[in-house]
Amino acid sequence: MHQPSPSPGSPDFGTAYSSLDEMAVGISLKAQHVRELMSSRPALGFLEIHAENYMGAGGAPHARLDALQEYPLSIHGVGLSLASERPLDATHLARLRTLCERHPPTSVSEHLAWAGHSGHFYNDLLPVPLTDAMLARVSDNLMQLQDTLGRQVLIENPAHYLRFDARELGAELIPETHFLTRLVERSGCGLLIDVNNVFVSAHNIGIDPAAWLESIPAHAVGEVHLAGHGEDTREGLLIDNHGAPVCDEVWALYADFINRIGPRPTLIEWDTQVPALEVLLGQTARAQTLLHSTRAQQLARSGEEGDR
């Protein structure tokens, strides 16, 4: 059973709550791995699903979750369009609530993105101009989402492929880490930090990934995503395609990040060109090793402080 998010005015408002163990490492649930997961029952911290794939009334998707219910579940939304001008889709919200009631998750998350406009839905996580007006819109929609579900939601930072022009927008742009921090303060949400998205954005729009991660408040981080990416050599862009192993640079950023904020539930995302389960388990083992190293360093530091 989940714990409700702290209420506004509470000293813990904006602190990420997750019933996932902070040392948990999980994978995205893929249909081609279900049979092997059911037979081998590997030691995984949790499974993640995309909410929109499970909004039907029955069938194989729900049967899979029932068969694997021993694993904690993270529900990751990709289609709510929190930054869209239109009101949140009431039918979509109701289906998400039903999904959370049917398969109670340990974590629920969504993206800082939009996908719908003028009655059309785009199957992409489209970029958001980070202005004061957008902060108010996303915060209002996020609070409606959290009220509907009766729980805190984690918001994921997107990968960037372009820069907005403040003069064309006629509004001052807010640095992304400041925007996320203010979103936490206004809505009480937590943050899901995708380290690969930070790395991809750093390459594409010229930010310092280490400084970006250094600016994120530790108390708000409830989960971390790691993924691989591709490269568009014609455009000189990195593409967040979730179709490759996590690269060494992202592993290094992740190690530094959790060393600063402490261990956090971590997901290995691999959604295209999905490899054998054994390959995914190799990636989870690497994340687990780094989490244990961080925990050991924390204990050593606290021991040194206690000896003073």
Side-chain angles (χ1 to χ4, degrees):
M1 179 176 290
H2 70 83
Q3 176 176 315
S5 177
S7 57
S10 159
D12 293 328
F13 189 67
T15 297
Y17 173 79
S18 173
S19 51
L20 283 172
D21 188 292
E22 64 183 11
M23 302 292 286
V25 181
I27 62 172
S28 303
L29 178 59
K30 300 301 175 191
Q32 55 266 55
H33 295 148
V34 169
R35 189 182 298 274
E36 188 174 356
L37 285 170
M38 290 175 62
S39 62
S40 62
R41 306 283 173 177
L44 286 168
F46 64 102
L47 297 173
E48 185 198 83
I49 61 168
H50 287 175
E52 287 72 13
N53 292 334
Y54 292 82
M55 288 186 171
H62 291 289
R64 291 183 200 126
L65 295 187
D66 289 339
L68 296 167
Q69 60 181 321
E70 72 198 68
Y71 293 105
L73 183 66
S74 174
I75 294 181
H76 191 47
V78 296
L80 195 53
S81 197
L82 285 174
S84 175
E85 283 188 346
R86 62 170 173 77
L88 294 183
D89 186 309
T91 301
H92 192 113
L93 273 177
R95 287 174 174 167
L96 180 58
R97 183 172 60 188
T98 298
L99 174 62
C100 290
E101 291 170 349
R102 184 170 183 174
H103 303 284
T106 51
S107 175
V108 177
S109 52
E110 250 292 351
H111 294 82
L112 178 58
W114 65 278
H117 182 68
S118 299
H120 298 284
F121 182 82
Y122 305 99
N123 194 28
D124 290 293
L125 298 169
L126 296 168
V128 177
L130 303 181
T131 63
D132 281 327
M134 184 60 74
L135 178 66
R137 179 191 302 171
V138 175
S139 181
D140 288 347
N141 286 338
L142 184 49
M143 286 189 284
Q144 181 186 351
L145 170 61
Q146 293 182 136
D147 287 345
T148 299
L149 300 182
R151 63 180 301 144
Q152 185 186 56
V153 172
L154 307 180
I155 293 301
E156 178 177 343
N157 57 298
H160 294 284
Y161 303 95
L162 56 81
R163 279 185 177 277
F164 286 98
D165 187 324
R167 287 178 301 179
E168 290 190 6
L169 288 171
E172 184 177 351
L173 292 170
I174 306 170
E176 186 174 37
T177 53
H178 295 181
F179 187 97
L180 291 170
T181 301
R182 291 171 63 184
L183 189 62
V184 167
E185 294 167 350
R186 289 180 63 132
S187 71
C189 73
L191 298 177
L192 190 170
I193 299 302
D194 189 315
V195 180
N196 181 62
N197 284 354
V198 178
F199 181 77
V200 166
S201 298
H203 174 89
N204 292 342
I205 64 172
I207 61 173
D208 180 337
W212 194 102
L213 290 167
E214 185 70 29
S215 299
I216 290 298
H219 71 277
V221 181
E223 195 175 321
V224 175
H225 275 187
L226 298 173
H229 56 261
E231 182 174 3
D232 184 333
T233 55
R234 293 174 303 175
E235 301 291 340
L237 295 173
L238 296 184
I239 308 297
D240 176 42
N241 65 359
H242 298 181
V246 180
C247 73
D248 288 343
E249 292 91 340
V250 170
W251 281 118
L253 287 169
Y254 170 68
D256 288 343
F257 187 47
I258 60 173
N259 188 48
R260 180 177 72 83
I261 70 170
R264 290 293 191 278
T266 300
L267 178 83
I268 302 296
E269 286 186 300
W270 203 320
D271 297 318
T272 61
Q273 305 179 68
V274 178
L277 180 61
E278 180 182 8
V279 176
L280 287 177
L281 295 179
Q283 297 274 284
T284 64
R286 185 165 178 175
Q288 196 77 75
T289 298
L290 290 171
L291 287 172
H292 281 292
S293 175
T294 295
R295 171 65 63 79
Q297 291 175 43
Q298 282 185 324
L299 292 174
R301 286 197 293 266
S302 63
E304 290 172 359
E305 291 172 359
D307 292 338
R308 291 173 186 166

